[in-house]
Amino acid sequence: MTRVAAVDCGTNSIRLLVADADPRTGELVELDRRMIIVRLGQGVDRTGRLAPEALERTFAACREYAAVVKEHGAERLRFVATSASRDAENRDEFVRGVLDILGVEPEVITGDQEAEFSFTGATKELTGRDDLAKPYLVVDIGGGSTEFVVGADRVDAARSVDIGCVRMTERHLVHDGAVTDPPTAEQIAAMRADIEAALDLAGETVPLREARTLVGLAGSVTTIAAIALGLDAYDSARIHHSRVPVDRVREITEWLLRSTHAERAAVPSMHPGRVDVIAAGALVLLSIMERTGAREVVVSEHDILDGIAWSVA
């Protein structure tokens, strides 16, 4: 066993996994997994820069994670940064801050690398299951982008497109500096058109309709699963590998798009940091399911973070 730590810093959240990994057996024993909403990508789509307050929230989370990594005695640490830090003009400031706190330089990975890590994390434990047909289509709906990966035992095709839940919310659902509550029909139509155009782009590289099993990753998907299951609180064990039919995803998405902030915040399994962006994330998932003809989505709590941990091991 090798004790490793992996950090995934995305547009909306920063997550940590500390685990013991055995590459010979394919076993990843989780010791600590946590997530903090930092909204690093706040305003990046509009300004092209990481906001000072977003950087400070992220650095505060890094200081917490540094203590956890030290407590567990992880031998190796890898810090991967995704969409927001790829797009920002001042990403050097972000890199210096992380290096000072955690002692490693964040790797601003490409969309293709992001897709490969997501696929590995989501599918490594599905090997041998005869109830989930191959090939898989793994979709990782992040804050700034969504990754599409098709493959059976390895990645056959991948594409990253800019339709994350934060980006779509800021681009289409914000008016006069605030998220419209609830969004108008015109805002929803514009967002849907943007998503469909991005799916056209993804489809140029990834054969979206050839996959037999749709696997959905990240907070938008797991939150929808929690709502579908009617959970009184977020429960990773019940969410992991749950299966949500497309009709239920459509029903939840339509409710989220017509609900108010207060109504979404009252959902017991809803993380406060997702209240304003979950409707956009749900519409991305629904659009993918309708485009691919998927009858259900298999929800995975294991994703890019697990893939990063395996890459360290």
Side-chain angles (χ1 to χ4, degrees), residues 171-191:
R171 186 177 291 176
H172 297 290
L173 305 185
V174 173
H175 181 68
D176 291 336
V179 176
T180 306
D181 192 25
T184 66
E186 291 77 14
Q187 287 176 313
I188 295 170
M191 181 166 60

Side-chain angles (χ1 to χ4, degrees), residues 137-139 212-216 285 288-289 292 294 296-299:
L137 170 60
V138 175
V139 293
R212 302 282 301 281
T213 298
L214 175 66
V215 183
L285 175 61
I288 292 168
M289 296 184 77
T292 61
E296 65 176 12
V297 57
V298 178
V299 181

Side-chain angles (χ1 to χ4, degrees), residues 9 26 28 69 76 94 102 127 133 158 166 275 283 292:
C9 185
L28 193 69
V69 171
R76 303 176 190 170
F94 165 70
L102 284 164
T127 302
V166 174
V275 174
L283 186 59
T292 61

Side-chain angles (χ1 to χ4, degrees), residues 129-153:
R129 287 188 56 164
D130 55 11
D131 60 325
L132 298 176
K134 298 178 182 180
Y136 309 113
L137 170 60
V138 175
V139 293
D140 186 342
I141 303 174
S145 61
T146 294
E147 282 63 57
F148 296 81
V149 197
V150 164
D153 301 311

